[in-house]
Amino acid sequence: MKGLPEDTQIDFEEGHLTTSLQTRSDVIRWTLIDFSDPTVSHRKFIRRWNRLSRFQRSLVYAAIVISITMLVILYNSKMANDLPKDNAMKAAEDSHQNVSLVTEPESAQIQHKKAMIEMDLNERPTFTGPSNARQYAVVESFKHAWRGYKEHAWGHDNLKPVSGMASDWFSLGLTIVDSLDTAFIMGLTDEYEEGKEWIKKELIFTKNKDVNFFEVTIRVLGALLTNYHFTEDDMFLDKAKDLGDRLMAAFSSPSGIPYSDVNLGTRTAHAPEWSHYSTTAEVTTIQLEFRELSRASNNPVYEDAAAAVSEKIHQLPKKHGLVPIFINPNTGRFLPHATITLGARGDSYYEYLLKQWLQTGKTINYLLDDYMTAMEGVREFLAKRSSPNKHLFIGELSAGSEAFNPKMDHLTCFLPGTLALGHVNGLPDWHMTMAEELLYTCYLTYSAHPTFLAPEITHFNMVSVTEDMYTKTADAHSLLRPEFVESLWYMYQITGNTTYQDWGWQIYQGFEKYARVAYGYSSIANVKSEKSVHRDMMESFFLSETLKYLYMLFSEDRFLIDLNKYVINSEAHPLPVHKN
């Protein structure tokens, strides 16, 4: 018989097949019994079975187990293929841990089912830790800051890293919650697990205390949703839903434009004590988070409330797409002749126009239209050149007169990254040209100082023959803000130009030399002096944003966070892009 060894002997006995394989010292006897033959007695079976060695019996057992396993697999495969379409959808939902029991309209349920089937859970990002010297340095910086916070301010909002004291703003453990996904991205398992355990056991929203609606949304709600998406741990989603329900009080104004302050414990909201107005950027920089909460919890109420704000502001008159920085939640109208700026209180309105459009699969056209019109307005009214070297900068229109003021907040340095993000998604080439020029100007605000750190505000000369920019003493402090390194990361991911990595490394060295203190990293009072005084405050955004963007900027994998799959909120928390 073809394929058998030459020393194989074939014997036929009483309808049984016996094959003997002759080896050097022994004969291994394999017996296959024809169980369909009624003449085979039970005694013969026992006798032949007892002749087998332990090894031979193990082979028989293994063959039986393999056969049964194959039959089960074939059966399950057939059953799955035979499921009706609706049942297949239900099976996909049941296997996903974030299914909610909240009732919603049938059309929304169908959309949610489709989205669940389209989502490949295996596409959740995986992070393996640092891979080069620069990343290892940033990880060590994060661990230094985390240790100081853990030892001296654990459970409080912020650390005073010089004095080793705690500081509270909202009493929500901001540093833990805000920076937890940074630890996850860096592969810091111990830090991540201890932060997660604190959130699980200690993070509550029942205190009778006012919080800022915008800050808690981007820092706490955004962080909880990112960690839920990264891990699929329902604990994060449960916390997010509890917080989201309490934050909904902000929308209780007559116009639906949110109040700035919310008492999470009493679920009430009101305007700030100093004004009847809310900040335009704040009420328009909560949509990414509330939309994602609706998608994750299968409850449209959050998205509906936040999206209505964008729609109302879309309908208001503007100066070529540019918005005043204050809006009245009672009337739903802008404060007339308020400052127009891409700095404080105005910045993220423009950022979230583009990012909402991307988050919803480029399907909400008015968001893109408003963004495009606004960027045209920036180019026409706010973009100017300094003297004598013609550096591009973004100024502002002053309150009252709307006269041009040649000052630029460090916050405005988010714009190059946003412009580049728009360009890579099909917007005009001049967006990228402006991004590159403005990014260089932002770099100069760092390199112009001996600390290689940028001030909070830079002023520009438009008729000078000597200096293009200068820093006033009152504006010379640095909070270790993230906006410039954020734009560096976008530009590096989009272009692959390693110059942006080198710029980031220079800034990181400035942080290490002038901001690092005994228990963490402190803001400094004067970037113009190498002997600057430390202001004794470590903001949560330094860990959540600044160090995160530096770590990702230095990654050999440019697409550590894929911008085709994620949109990054204003506090550097990645949220998934949806198809609608």
Side-chain angles (χ1 to χ4, degrees):
M1 296 179 63
K2 188 174 181 180
L4 292 176
E6 292 181 355
D7 57 357
T8 298
Q9 299 177 2
I10 310 253
D11 297 312
F12 292 92
E13 177 186 1
E14 299 180 347
H16 311 303
L17 172 62
T18 302
T19 304
S20 299
L21 304 179
Q22 183 68 41
T23 64
R24 291 181 182 178
S25 59
D26 63 344
V27 176
I28 301 177
R29 187 173 184 84
W30 295 81
T31 303
L32 300 178
I33 302 175
D34 182 4
F35 289 99
S36 63
D37 186 351
T39 63
V40 177
S41 69
H42 180 70
R43 184 177 297 176
K44 284 185 178 181
F45 170 77
I46 295 298
R47 185 172 62 251
R48 293 183 183 277
W49 178 256
N50 290 335
R51 290 176 184 173
L52 297 178
S53 68
R54 181 178 298 175
F55 173 72
Q56 291 169 330
R57 294 176 188 177
S58 297
L59 289 176
V60 175
Y61 288 140
I64 294 171
V65 170
I66 291 171
S67 299
I68 294 173
T69 301
M70 292 300 295
L71 289 172
V72 170
I73 292 173
L74 291 173
Y75 176 79
N76 287 340
S77 176
K78 183 178 185 303
M79 290 296 293
N81 290 333
D82 290 342
L83 276 174
K85 184 176 181 180
D86 287 344
N87 287 343
M89 287 182 176
K90 186 176 186 303
E93 283 191 49
D94 290 344
S95 67
H96 195 287
Q97 295 182 9
N98 73 343
V99 173
S100 173
L101 298 179
V102 177
T103 302
E104 63 175 346
E106 181 178 354
S107 60
Q109 290 180 349
I110 293 173
Q111 290 178 358
H112 179 69
K113 288 180 179 180
K114 291 180 179 178
M116 297 293 292
I117 292 173
E118 290 168 352
M119 182 182 294
D120 182 355
L121 296 181
N122 294 325
E123 289 185 0
R124 293 205 308 270
T126 56
F127 305 103
T128 57
S131 60
N132 57 62
R134 289 179 174 180
Q135 280 193 308
Y136 274 105
V138 176
V139 169
E140 195 282 326
S141 297
F142 181 91
K143 293 173 73 173
H144 171 65
W146 183 273
R147 281 194 302 269
Y149 169 79
K150 182 180 178 182
E151 292 173 7
H152 299 281
W154 188 251
H156 295 276
D157 287 335
N158 298 109
L159 166 70
K160 295 182 175 182
V162 177
S163 60
M165 303 291 289
S167 174
D168 276 310
W169 188 10
F170 307 135
S171 299
L172 294 173
L174 283 183
T175 295
I176 297 174
V177 183
D178 207 4
S179 62
L180 191 66
D181 62 326
T182 303
F184 189 85
I185 290 170
M186 290 181 174
L188 296 175
T189 303
D190 292 342
E191 288 80 358
Y192 181 83
E193 289 299 328
E194 62 192 9
K196 174 183 171 182
E197 190 68 11
W198 184 90
I199 291 173
K200 180 179 179 179
K201 294 182 178 179
E202 304 293 338
L203 180 61
I204 59 172
F205 308 115
T206 57
K207 295 179 182 177
N208 184 7
K209 184 179 180 68
D210 285 352
V211 302
N212 180 273
F213 174 59
F214 156 75
E215 295 287 358
V216 169
T217 296
I218 64 170
R219 299 191 194 211
V220 182
L221 182 60
L224 291 172
L225 291 169
T226 292
N227 282 287
Y228 169 68
H229 184 71
F230 280 177
T231 66
E232 293 296 314
D233 188 327
D234 284 335
M235 182 271 292
F236 291 115
L237 181 58
D238 291 340
K239 296 281 185 180
K241 288 190 291 186
D242 184 17
L243 177 58
D245 288 340
R246 297 171 186 276
L247 289 172
M248 286 293 291
F251 299 101
S252 63
S253 71
S255 69
I257 299 297
Y259 290 118
S260 66
D261 295 357
V262 178
N263 187 308
L264 297 179
T266 62
R267 304 188 187 221
T268 58
H270 56 86
E273 295 179 358
W274 52 270
S275 172
H276 296 298
Y277 286 83
S278 295
T279 297
T280 302
E282 292 185 353
V283 303
T284 56
T285 312
I286 46 87
Q287 283 74 18
L288 295 182
E289 298 80 6
F290 275 77
R291 179 173 288 111
E292 179 54 32
L293 179 58
S294 277
R295 305 300 176 96
S297 66
N298 198 20
N299 184 352
V301 63
Y302 314 109
E303 180 174 0
D304 290 348
V309 176
S310 292
E311 292 168 2
K312 289 175 181 177
I313 290 182
H314 164 68
Q315 296 167 2
L316 293 178
K318 308 174 185 68
K319 185 179 179 67
H320 205 95
L322 304 177
V323 296
I325 62 174
F326 292 111
I327 187 169
N328 191 322
N330 294 315
T331 66
R333 299 289 179 179
F334 291 125
L335 174 63
H337 308 295
T339 299
I340 292 176
T341 178
L342 269 72
R345 299 189 174 97
D347 49 358
S348 48
Y349 161 73
Y350 306 96
E351 174 192 0
Y352 268 40
L353 287 176
L354 177 68
K355 289 183 176 180
Q356 283 192 77
W357 178 65
L358 296 175
Q359 183 191 33
T360 53
K362 306 179 184 179
T363 58
I364 303 181
N365 292 331
Y366 83 83
L367 293 168
L368 177 62
D369 293 342
D370 285 356
Y371 175 76
M372 292 284 288
T373 303
M375 291 305 101
E376 290 280 4
V378 169
R379 182 166 67 164
E380 180 176 354
F381 296 105
L382 303 183
K384 305 292 181 182
R385 293 193 180 274
S386 64
S387 177
N389 294 303
K390 307 299 180 184
H391 298 310
L392 182 72
F393 70 96
I394 306 298
E396 61 185 39
L397 303 182
S398 299
S401 64
E402 293 191 1
F404 182 78
N405 187 357
K407 64 180 281 285
M408 185 172 80
D409 292 0
H410 182 276
L411 290 166
T412 306
C413 288
F414 84 92
L415 186 58
T418 300
L419 286 166
L421 180 61
H423 179 259
V424 80
N425 281 280
L427 302 192
D429 289 344
W430 68 262
H431 285 226
M432 192 62 170
T433 302
M434 179 180 281
E436 292 169 340
E437 288 197 67
L438 184 58
L439 191 71
Y440 180 62
T441 301
C442 289
Y443 172 75
L444 294 177
T445 67
Y446 283 81
S447 64
H449 301 101
T451 57
F452 221 98
L453 296 178
E456 185 72 358
I457 299 173
T458 299
H459 297 261
F460 290 84
N461 289 313
M462 300 181 68
V463 294
S464 172
V465 295
T466 55
E467 298 293 333
D468 288 80
M469 63 183 72
Y470 61 97
T471 302
K472 295 180 180 180
T473 301
D475 304 325
H477 54 284
S478 170
L479 304 183
L480 316 185
R481 288 194 183 274
E483 286 75 23
F484 179 55
V485 292
E486 171 187 356
S487 284
L488 286 177
W489 174 70
Y490 277 106
M491 294 290 281
Y492 170 63
Q493 175 165 148
I494 290 168
T495 69
N497 186 343
T498 58
T499 295
Y500 302 130
Q501 291 181 308
D502 295 336
W503 288 359
W505 182 246
Q506 289 176 297
I507 293 164
Y508 170 75
Q509 291 176 307
F511 290 146
E512 285 295 303
K513 186 173 182 180
Y514 298 103
R516 183 169 175 139
V517 294
Y519 305 122
Y521 291 82
S522 174
S523 55
I524 64 175
N526 187 359
V527 299
K528 298 189 291 183
S529 172
E530 292 188 271
K531 297 181 180 179
S532 179
V533 175
H534 292 107
R535 294 171 51 135
D536 200 15
M537 178 57 68
M538 185 173 74
E539 302 283 352
S540 73
F541 59 66
F542 179 69
L543 285 79
S544 172
E545 299 185 74
T546 308
L547 291 181
K548 182 187 296 171
Y549 280 124
L550 283 169
Y551 178 83
M552 296 194 298
L553 173 64
F554 299 145
S555 176
E556 295 168 1
D557 177 7
R558 280 166 53 199
F559 308 106
L560 190 64
I561 298 290
D562 189 342
L563 292 175
N564 293 312
K565 298 177 181 178
Y566 293 92
V567 61
I568 316 298
N569 90 334
S570 197
E571 193 74 8
H573 299 305
L575 301 172
V577 168
H578 298 276
K579 294 186 177 181
N580 57 66

